[in-house]
Amino acid sequence: MSGPELIEPLFVALELLKVQGITLCPPNIKLDLTSKFNTVYSLDIEAKNGVNSITSKVQKYQIKYLHSRSAISQAKMEQQLDVDESVS
C-alpha cells in the first residue's frame, strides 16, 4: 500500500463524522497529502538582519479522492437502496 491509500480512509472518516482535520507538518510536505485538505495555511518564519518576520499564505483546494466515487457517495447509494427495498 502507498501513502495515499493509507491516508484516504482517515479523510473519509473525518468527512463522515463531519470533523475538521488539522495537522502540523514540515514545509516540504507533498502536494498529494495537502490537497486532501480544503484549506492549507502556510506560515514561514525568516530572520533578516536580526529581525524575525512571519509570512503566511492560504491555499484553497477541492478534496481529491483516489477513485472517482468516494466511499461516502457509495455508502449513501447503498443506504438509499436499502430504503427503497424496505419501502417496496
Side-chain angles (χ1 to χ4, degrees):
M1 290 186 126
S2 66
E5 290 172 332
L6 293 171
I7 251 178
E8 186 173 357
L10 172 67
F11 284 96
V12 169
L14 290 173
E15 187 176 347
L16 282 170
L17 296 172
K18 298 186 185 297
V19 174
Q20 179 182 12
I22 298 174
T23 187
L24 299 174
C25 55
N28 59 348
I29 194 79
K30 292 184 177 181
L31 180 62
D32 62 342
L33 178 60
T34 58
S35 65
K36 295 282 188 178
F37 290 91
N38 287 327
T39 305
V40 175
Y41 297 93
S42 301
L43 294 176
D44 293 318
I45 301 172
E46 291 184 62
K48 288 186 180 179
N49 301 325
V51 177
N52 293 335
S53 65
I54 299 175
T55 57
S56 64
K57 180 172 67 170
V58 178
Q59 296 169 297
K60 297 282 187 176
Y61 294 105
Q62 182 176 356
I63 296 177
K64 299 175 185 173
Y65 294 95
L66 290 178
H67 305 287
S68 59
R69 179 191 261 163
S70 73
I72 293 172
S73 298
Q74 182 68 29
K76 286 179 182 177
M77 287 176 52
E78 290 173 3
Q79 185 179 29
Q80 185 61 41
L81 288 173
D82 291 342
V83 169
D84 292 345
E85 288 175 0
S86 65
V87 171
S88 47

